[in-house]
Every structure is written in structure tokens, then in C-alpha cells.
Amino acid sequence: MNKNAKERILSAADELFGTVGFDAATTREIAEKSGVNKALIHYHFQSKQGLLTELLDRYYSKLGGKLAKALTQDGDIKTRLLSLIDVYIEFLVENRNFGRIVQREAAGGAHMERIAGHMAPIFSMGIQTLKDVYPKTQQGEAAAEHLLISFYGAIISYFTYGELISQLLGDDPMSDESIVRRKQHLKWMASTLLDSVEGEAP
């Protein structure tokens, strides 16, 4: 079944915002790529800004739900925390334009505040979980805030800089094998760090 007009517009905008950027993409190009009249974009989204807003809201709704489910699933807390890496990477694999769109906007785009609004509850949940379970992360060099920022950067930069990484390593970082290796490496790092902060705070 063909996507309806609204979904085609969102799909076209997602691709163009991801490849050429929000500022460079035009509603005319989005209309042509989605096979609709440009007036339909304004009917459904009012403006190009409104189109990106809906894309971001959909992305973060999906991502937030997946991360919350992983964190509240059965199993010990370490297993659940490590599963967040799998879930986040799988989300980025399935939504290749997400990282590029967010990177551009987070670097000072008009939607930076909206992105921060979506990410803040996710970060707050992660920080509080770490502090509750691992008292050593309440402050100092192992502070939960910095641990989360470090792993957020380690995960998403692999996707936003995929083309550069390919040139640096001479390999396809997005191949199935490379993704598996990346997951294994990040989970090893996370496991090592979590082991180091077990026990009561000093």
C-alpha cells in the first residue's frame, strides 16, 4: 500500500534534511520528491519549520519509548543498562538521517531548544538511575552526568561522522559486521566502567 501524502512528505523531508540539511532543503524539492503539490506541505505542516518539528517529535517519541522499555525490562540493572546501547544503536541504524539532522540542529539550529526538551527527560532518567544504583557516580570523576555525555557522544558520533570514519579506517562503519563490533566495543567499555563504580561511594 502506498504511503499517504503526509507520510510521503515526511519521508522526503527526512531524506533531504539528512543529506543536504534543513536550511538547504526547500519545500519545492520536498514536494517534488514526495510527489505532491507544494500547497499540501503548508496544509499539513504550515511551514518547513513545522515539518521538521513533527519529524523530531516522531523520532524522539519512538526513541524515548524504546529506551524506557529497555531500562524497565526484566533482568539485573547492569544488563538493562548495557541493553540501552543495543537499543540506541539499532535505532540509529534504522533511522540513518536522525543523527545528521540532530547534529546540525544541536549545533545552533532553530530547533535546538526542542531537541533539548526531548532529550532532557531521557538524560534525567539515566542520570538518576546511575546515581541510585552506583553511589560512586554521584560526584567526582565518575559523575553520572559525564558518563552519560561520554557514552552519548561515543554512540551518536559514530553515525554522524560515518563517512569520515570510513576514510580514516578504510572500512564501511555501517556494515552489519562493523555495527556488531561497535556494539561489542561500547558494551565492553560500559561494562568495565560499571564494574569500576560498583560499591558504596567513598
Side-chain angles (χ1 to χ4, degrees), residues 22-188:
F22 175 77
D23 290 334
T26 66
T27 53
R28 177 184 58 79
E29 291 171 320
I30 294 169
E32 289 177 355
K33 193 167 190 63
S34 56
V36 303
N37 187 298
K38 193 167 86 168
L40 270 180
I41 295 176
H42 296 282
Y43 172 76
H44 286 295
F45 305 100
Q46 285 72 58
S47 65
K48 191 172 72 165
Q49 293 276 358
L51 183 47
L52 181 54
T53 294
E54 178 144 351
L55 266 178
L56 290 171
D57 289 350
R58 286 189 175 204
Y59 269 137
Y60 280 107
S61 176
K62 187 191 300 185
L63 176 60
K66 287 178 178 293
L67 294 176
K69 183 178 179 180
L71 194 56
T72 56
Q73 66 184 318
D74 293 335
D76 62 84
I77 186 62
K78 183 178 177 182
T79 298
R80 284 182 276 151
L81 288 171
L82 292 178
S83 75
L84 293 176
I85 293 174
D86 282 326
V87 169
Y88 198 4
I89 288 180
E90 286 163 9
F91 174 84
L92 292 171
V93 168
E94 294 168 1
N95 301 277
R96 295 293 177 89
N97 293 314
F98 171 77
R100 291 190 289 266
I101 293 171
V102 168
Q103 179 195 32
R104 291 189 181 104
E105 291 301 307
H111 292 73
M112 182 172 63
E113 291 299 323
R114 193 169 201 89
I115 290 172
H118 279 298
M119 291 180 66
I122 298 173
F123 265 74
S124 294
M125 178 176 64
I127 290 168
Q128 195 57 54
T129 298
L130 284 173
K131 288 183 174 181
D132 288 346
V133 179
Y134 300 99
K136 289 181 180 178
T137 68
Q138 291 175 5
Q139 59 184 346
E141 60 188 9
E145 295 86 347
H146 288 288
L147 289 179
L148 249 65
I149 289 292
S150 293
F151 271 90
Y152 170 74
I155 292 171
I156 199 164
S157 63
Y158 187 78
F159 290 86
T160 56
Y161 298 111
E163 292 180 13
L164 174 61
I165 291 171
S166 177
Q167 294 187 39
L168 294 175
L169 302 182
D171 192 12
D172 178 9
M174 297 300 123
S175 71
D176 291 344
E177 295 79 8
S178 294
I179 294 297
V180 168
R181 290 196 300 269
R182 188 62 182 166
K183 283 183 182 179
Q184 291 172 338
H185 172 72
L186 288 171
K187 289 165 78 172
W188 170 79

